């Protein structure tokens, strides 16, 4: 039997490159939160990160690439936190949808100081239209499995429900970042999910698909 090839640890040069990239990224997020995305220049980011202007461009071709990086990191975190329990064998698919909303809430609430500025920049850059629909796909897969298992109504369109949940999540997130008196995000997401679940649950006496 062949042994799996071990992945080599990054060398010193690569580790240093990663540290500088992270420093630039974190400096940018700090400035975006403090003064807004539009008001923050590449020069200001380089100064805050204590690197040369050219070093910035070694890691990010444009300031807009920081928005992409932000979105990719959030998707990676969502995927990492959901893959194990959400897609495990078994039922209770309502609980799995609730788990998705809980993780989405926590990600945003833990990044409360940067989310408003980054979300505004994300919207201005057209990212909601270009977004990889990862959250919608997760929702749709759970709903489909719940439908097939008899927990949800047999005639629902899982893809449509997934898109509804993703779209209402984004709307709730946008309102949450703009509210003067902030209500916990998870409260609104729980209410949204409850409304959707009322519409997709299998009614007593409904035949299986």
């Amino acid at each position: 039997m062949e042994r799996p090839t071990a992945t080599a640890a990054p060398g010193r040069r690569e580790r240093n490159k990663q540290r500088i990239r992270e420093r630039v990224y974190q400096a940018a997020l700090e400035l975006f939160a403090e003064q807004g995305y539009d008001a923050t220049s590449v020069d200001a980011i380089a100064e805050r990160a204590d690197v040369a202007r050219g070093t910035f461009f070694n890691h990010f071709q444009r300031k807009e690439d920081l928005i992409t990086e932000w979105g990719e990191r959030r998707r990676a975190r969502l995927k990492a936190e959901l893959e194990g329990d959400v897609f495990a064998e078994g039922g209770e698919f309502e609980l799995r949808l609730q788990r998705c909303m809980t993780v989405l809430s926590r990600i945003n609430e833990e990044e409360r100081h940067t989310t408003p500025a980054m979300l505004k920049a994300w919207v201005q850059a057209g990212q909601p239209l270009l977004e990889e629909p990862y959250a919608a796909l997760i929702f749709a897969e759970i709903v489909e499995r719940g439908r097939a298992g008899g927990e949800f109504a047999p005639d629902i369109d899982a893809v449509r429900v997934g898109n509804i949940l993703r779209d209402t999540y984004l709307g709730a997130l946008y309102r949450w970042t703009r509210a003067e008196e902030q209500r916990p995000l998870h409260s609104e997401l729980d209410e949204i999910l409850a409304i959707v679940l009322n519409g997709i649950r299998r009614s007593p006496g409904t035949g299986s698909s």
Side-chain angles (χ1 to χ4, degrees):
M1 179 181 297
E2 294 184 2
R3 295 182 179 180
T5 303
T7 302
R12 180 181 300 175
R13 183 175 181 180
E14 183 61 27
R15 292 197 305 271
N16 186 54
K17 183 178 178 180
Q18 292 172 356
R19 282 195 295 268
I20 293 174
R21 181 183 178 88
E22 184 66 20
R23 200 162 77 220
V24 171
Y25 176 77
Q26 293 299 333
L29 262 60
E30 290 173 6
L31 286 168
F32 295 160
E34 292 170 10
Q35 60 191 33
Y37 175 82
D38 290 337
T40 301
S41 66
V42 169
D43 287 337
I45 295 170
E47 182 177 354
R48 175 67 65 92
D50 194 25
V51 299
R53 175 184 172 86
T55 300
F56 175 94
F57 292 109
N58 288 338
H59 296 275
F60 300 96
Q61 293 184 2
R62 306 170 302 164
K63 189 174 73 168
E64 289 84 351
D65 290 343
L66 290 156
I67 304 173
T68 303
E69 177 92 0
W70 178 75
E72 288 175 350
R73 290 189 183 207
R74 286 163 66 89
R75 282 193 293 275
R77 180 177 174 185
L78 178 64
K79 182 177 181 180
E81 294 200 28
L82 291 181
E83 273 193 332
D85 51 0
V86 167
F87 300 119
E89 295 299 322
E92 297 185 298
F93 293 99
E94 285 194 20
L95 295 179
R96 298 186 188 201
L97 289 173
Q98 291 169 2
R99 167 69 174 156
C100 289
M101 289 300 189
T102 297
V103 171
L104 288 167
S105 299
R106 186 171 67 247
I107 290 173
N108 286 289
E109 288 170 348
E110 288 179 358
E111 299 177 0
R112 179 64 186 89
H113 65 294
T114 58
T115 295
M118 293 306 298
L119 185 63
K120 182 178 179 181
W122 189 57
V123 170
Q124 290 174 335
Q127 292 297 330
L129 298 177
L130 303 174
E131 177 206 30
E132 178 186 354
Y134 183 68
L137 292 173
I138 290 176
F139 289 137
E141 181 169 345
I142 295 170
V143 171
E144 175 57 28
R145 291 175 67 183
R147 187 199 66 77
E151 189 172 340
F152 300 142
D155 57 347
I156 59 173
D157 184 329
V159 172
R160 181 170 295 177
V161 175
N163 287 334
I164 289 170
L165 286 170
R166 190 272 311 274
D167 293 347
T168 52
Y169 154 67
L170 290 175
L173 176 60
Y174 185 68
R175 289 191 299 275
W176 176 74
T177 60
R178 294 176 63 84
E180 293 183 4
E181 295 184 7
Q182 205 168 74
R183 182 187 183 203
L185 178 61
H186 69 264
S187 297
E188 183 165 359
L189 293 183
D190 286 346
E191 291 176 6
I192 288 170
L193 180 58
I195 292 169
V196 174
L197 287 173
N198 282 335
I200 69 174
R201 285 192 186 100
R202 180 182 175 186
S203 301
T206 303
S208 59
S209 58

